[in-house]
Amino acid sequence: MMDYDCIVIGGGHAGIEASLAAARLGHSTLLITQNPDRIGVLSCNPAIGGLSKGNLVREVDALGGEMGRLIDATMIQYRVLNRSRGPAVQSPRAQADKQAYQSAARRVLEAQENLEIFMDTVVDLLIDGTSGSIDSNSKIGGVITRRGHRITGRTVILAAGTFMEGKIFIGEHDAPQGRLGEEAALGLGESLRRLGFPAGRLKTGTPARIAGDSIDFSVMEKQDGEEMYPFSFNVDKITGRPSLPCWITYTTSATHEIIKANIHRSPLYGGKITGTGARYCPSIEDKVVRFPQRSRHHIFIEPEGLYTNEIYLNGASTSLPEDVQRGFIRSIPGLEQARIVRPGYAVEYDYLDPLDLYPSLESKRLSGFFSAGQTNGSSGYEEAAAQGLIAGINAALKMQGRPPLILGRAEAYIGVLVDDLTTLGTKEPYRMFTSRAEHRLMLRHDTADTRLTPKGRQAGLVDDRRWELFSKKAEALDEIRELLSRRKSSGTEPVNYPEEWIERVRLDIKYSGYIEKEKRIAAKTAKMDFIKLDPEMDYTAVSGLSAEAKEKLKTVKPLNIGQAARIPGLRQGDIALLMILANKAQNSRPGQHGRKDNQHSVETAYTSGEKKY
């Protein structure tokens, strides 16, 4: 008998959602973390949400996850970004009280039935009950910890963040740590490589934190928050929380000269760091080198919480030596007397190639082994939470003998995120953007509950109370739509409904033509996803496929024609051949009927607008 149904490795945002999902779906779950006091830490910026990321948080909530409720309980400023632009690219963002957020996360985990927390470091996997090699019949058997515990489990979810073989860099200094002052998780990365998992190195970084009482705010631009509004669809309103302002200042020519004069001391440019960094979240030294024409860069001054004097310098991520950090920070208006509390640093860590995962986030080479978050090459709290939730749900569904939850690109930003990672892979930290979603008008943050709560209910994560609230809201939205759609309606009839519900329906009506067009396009694309492929197909034996197509199909192992069509480098002829193979496989299955219908679906999918593939 196994010790646990599910073992989750890591107490970050992916691990939180994964362990809660598995436990809430009725499975005995063990969360193993190096330090329970650091569960839910906001390692970098003190905020949740942002462009497209706010959409992810609301989708996590709609499916039954926790991140939305955690930030609702701990926010200290709220804003909707891109107010001046269309609703498809607007998204909520909230500054968080860091200490309150992690305390709230730990309380939720400790109160959760079926969930235990254990302090140790995982260094190896048990394969079928032993730490042997992997073959085509291998199943996960559990984990081995640094202190020698052999803990068995039916499923294992890896969510190690930046800790797996982590190493931090501050100028000439480096140390085996996953965060400043916290030891790395050494041994597991090496074990995974030995077992044949495709691993690589990525790099991220964070700026210095400075003392708030050493800042001259009078020369900066003040950025006040808006009225606080909940991320969670099951929280009516947020009251009683103080709202703190943020501030904006800018680098100067002196800042840039200090950085350029010391660039040789940066481990990033000196060759010490080999991992690939985030293209869309560069360090300040990267900005100065890559954009020499820019005379200044934004620096956002953000409070770390109500409990502390520390201030986060958003936009000033760096791994330069501490004396250089002090110099360039004090060249920024308002920071001339700044005192550094914690220096900025870079961190390099192991990740697993997400092409090695099915869209369920289960490993293609080891049954029952899932991974989520930065371990899969993503960056950001929200991307991690979304993957953790999907991994936790699918680990539970696998144990229940049920099909996995796989969201489409037209259903959720989570669907875009997972599809991008498992189909395209990544060689740099992946960050979600609204531009990655082809159907973003259908994926507005205010519609996440309508899109996903029924799926969360079907999976088993949406309880009766949440479902009742959702059902009542759905009925109300239909009533509001009917009132606003009447030709002579002045719009005053729905006054008894919440304003945000009315605005939601107004936007639906206003953009209905565009939304219907997106739905038609999405429906055509979905036809490709209905044509299934055998993930174990031997593509090397298929004549007519290009050599590049064979190699990429062998790596990705697509589950359907749609996923195959999104693989870069596959030609239109390759996709046409796969359709023929899929049709033959369908017709050759015993007891299958409706050959004409299946043939028609294949031909229709190929000829009705899909030729772009």
Side-chain angles (χ1 to χ4, degrees):
M1 182 175 177
M2 295 287 185
D3 295 323
Y4 295 91
D5 291 330
C6 182
I7 299 171
V8 178
I9 304 170
H13 305 284
I16 289 168
E17 297 293 349
S19 58
L20 287 173
R24 287 169 175 170
L25 289 174
H27 296 279
S28 59
T29 304
L30 179 68
L31 172 63
I32 302 179
T33 176
Q34 293 192 133
N35 186 352
D37 293 334
R38 304 297 284 168
I39 286 173
V41 167
L42 300 173
S43 304
C44 197
N45 64 305
I48 296 292
L51 300 179
S52 75
K53 293 171 176 281
N55 301 60
L56 287 173
V57 178
R58 303 211 84 193
E59 289 177 356
V60 165
D61 180 78
L63 286 168
E66 195 65 29
M67 179 173 266
R69 287 185 283 192
L70 291 176
I71 185 59
D72 285 349
T74 59
M75 68 172 67
I76 55 175
Q77 191 196 88
Y78 176 88
R79 296 176 65 227
V80 174
L81 306 187
N82 270 355
R83 282 277 193 196
S84 61
R85 303 183 65 186
V89 293
Q90 293 179 7
S91 194
R93 181 180 189 268
Q95 296 294 135
D97 184 308
K98 279 191 170 185
Q99 189 176 76
Y101 187 98
Q102 68 186 76
S103 296
R106 183 172 179 178
R107 283 197 301 272
V108 170
L109 292 174
E110 290 179 337
Q112 179 60 50
E113 186 180 359
N114 298 322
L115 178 59
E116 297 177 17
I117 299 170
F118 184 63
M119 181 178 179
D120 206 342
T121 301
V122 172
V123 296
D124 205 351
L125 301 180
L126 291 172
I127 311 299
D128 288 332
T130 69
S131 53
S133 59
I134 293 177
D135 58 35
S136 59
N137 298 314
S138 293
K139 297 179 181 179
I140 192 69
V143 301
I144 300 174
T145 72
R146 181 183 296 171
R147 298 202 304 272
H149 296 286
R150 301 170 71 88
I151 306 171
T152 58
R154 296 168 62 191
T155 57
V156 171
I157 302 173
L158 175 60
T162 62
F163 281 77
M164 193 161 66
E165 313 300 328
K167 190 175 186 179
I168 69 160
F169 299 85
I170 307 173
E172 294 83 4
H173 171 78
D174 60 71
Q177 298 178 3
R179 274 190 296 257
L180 184 62
E182 298 179 51
E183 64 177 331
L186 302 178
L188 183 56
E190 180 181 342
S191 296
L192 292 172
R193 283 181 166 85
R194 172 179 52 79
L195 291 169
F197 286 90
R201 299 285 281 176
L202 291 178
K203 168 258 176 188
T204 188
T206 193
R209 275 65 160 180
I210 62 175
D213 59 2
S214 66
I215 299 174
D216 179 5
F217 293 105
S218 67
V219 299
M220 299 180 179
E221 302 171 22
K222 191 177 183 182
Q223 194 175 46
D224 287 313
E226 304 171 6
E227 180 181 354
M228 290 183 180
Y229 184 79
F231 279 79
S232 176
F233 290 98
N234 295 283
V235 175
D236 292 331
K237 60 178 62 177
I238 296 175
T239 59
R241 292 203 59 80
S243 180
L244 302 186
C246 295
W247 306 81
I248 302 175
T249 185
Y250 302 86
T251 60
T252 64
S253 58
T255 312
H256 300 181
E257 290 304 316
I258 293 170
I259 291 171
K260 285 188 285 188
N262 291 277
I263 201 69
H264 62 284
R265 300 180 63 192
S266 166
L268 183 64
Y269 286 89
K272 292 180 71 175
I273 294 177
T274 60
T276 305
R279 183 190 321 180
Y280 303 105
C281 189
S283 65
I284 189 65
E285 51 263 41
D286 251 354
K287 293 178 186 178
V288 170
V289 172
R290 288 165 51 188
F291 307 106
Q293 73 280 9
R294 294 282 300 273
S295 61
R296 66 178 190 173
H297 296 280
H298 286 88
I299 303 295
F300 297 90
I301 310 298
E302 301 177 345
E304 293 264 293
L306 303 174
Y307 69 97
T308 180
N309 187 39
E310 284 186 56
I311 298 291
Y312 179 87
L313 300 182
N314 194 339
S317 174
T318 183
S319 59
L320 285 164
E322 292 183 59
D323 61 307
V324 181
Q325 292 188 38
R326 187 177 302 107
F328 82 68
I329 288 173
R330 289 183 173 180
S331 70
I332 297 171
L335 304 181
E336 292 87 352
Q337 304 299 320
R339 301 193 310 274
I340 294 178
V341 179
R342 307 173 199 239
Y345 62 92
V347 58
E348 189 179 58
Y349 54 95
D350 274 4
Y351 82 108
L352 301 182
D353 187 345
L355 289 178
D356 207 49
L357 300 173
Y358 291 116
S360 62
L361 298 183
E362 183 179 16
S363 169
K364 293 174 181 175
R365 67 184 63 231
L366 182 59
S367 178
F369 182 57
F370 297 76
S371 63
Q374 286 176 287
T375 304
N376 291 344
S378 66
S379 68
Y381 313 139
E382 303 82 4
E383 290 90 340
Q387 292 173 69
L389 179 63
I390 294 300
I393 290 174
N394 285 329
L397 294 178
K398 182 179 181 70
M399 290 185 284
Q400 296 167 10
R402 299 167 61 191
L405 173 64
I406 298 175
L407 301 174
R409 298 180 70 89
E411 292 179 300
Y413 272 93
I414 296 176
V416 176
L417 166 67
V418 173
D419 186 65
D420 278 354
L421 288 173
T422 60
T423 303
L424 307 179
T426 187
K427 299 298 182 184
E428 62 185 52
Y430 176 98
R431 181 179 179 182
M432 178 53 70
F433 293 103
T434 53
S435 59
R436 296 189 189 273
E438 303 89 339
H439 309 291
R440 51 188 172 272
L441 192 55
M442 293 165 55
L443 306 182
R444 300 194 327 256
H445 70 86
D446 59 327
T447 67
D449 58 340
T450 300
R451 290 183 278 115
L452 298 179
T453 298
K455 292 182 179 294
R457 177 68 171 181
Q458 185 177 13
L461 268 187
V462 173
D463 61 24
D464 291 343
R465 177 183 174 277
R466 297 190 74 169
W467 183 248
E468 182 181 0
L469 292 173
F470 169 76
S471 299
K472 288 181 179 179
K473 179 180 177 181
E475 292 176 5
L477 292 176
D478 286 339
E479 293 169 2
I480 296 169
R481 188 172 291 106
E482 173 64 24
L483 290 171
L484 293 181
S485 297
R486 291 176 184 171
R487 185 169 300 176
K488 295 183 180 180
S489 173
S490 63
T492 58
E493 294 90 338
V495 291
N496 293 326
Y497 296 99
E499 176 58 34
E500 58 269 21
W501 294 7
I502 299 171
E503 181 62 19
R504 151 80 188 274
V505 176
R506 283 177 179 152
L507 290 174
D508 286 344
I509 295 173
K510 180 177 181 180
Y511 294 99
S512 59
Y514 298 101
I515 293 172
E516 287 304 315
K517 182 179 179 180
E518 281 198 0
K519 285 182 178 179
R520 289 194 295 270
I521 295 172
K524 288 181 178 180
T525 305
K527 292 177 182 178
M528 308 279 279
D529 292 334
F530 284 122
I531 305 172
K532 305 302 181 184
L533 290 170
D534 181 358
E536 300 306 320
M537 184 185 297
D538 181 8
Y539 291 104
T540 60
V542 179
S543 59
L545 286 175
S546 66
E548 182 181 12
K550 289 181 179 180
E551 186 62 32
K552 291 189 174 183
L553 288 166
K554 181 181 176 182
T555 299
V556 176
K557 296 182 179 180
L559 300 179
N560 54 62
I561 293 293
Q563 188 183 8
R566 292 188 288 273
I567 300 174
L570 261 65
R571 306 173 307 185
Q572 182 176 322
D574 297 325
I575 301 303
L577 180 55
L578 291 177
M579 285 181 162
I580 294 171
L581 294 173
N583 185 53
K584 287 182 177 178
Q586 176 73 16
N587 292 332
S588 65
R589 290 173 191 161
Q592 294 295 319
H593 302 286
R595 176 174 178 175
K596 289 183 179 180
D597 291 340
N598 186 64
Q599 178 66 34
H600 175 71
S601 70
V602 173
E603 292 174 352
T604 301
Y606 185 58
T607 59
S608 62
E610 287 2 282
K611 290 189 178 181
K612 63 180 179 179
Y613 293 112

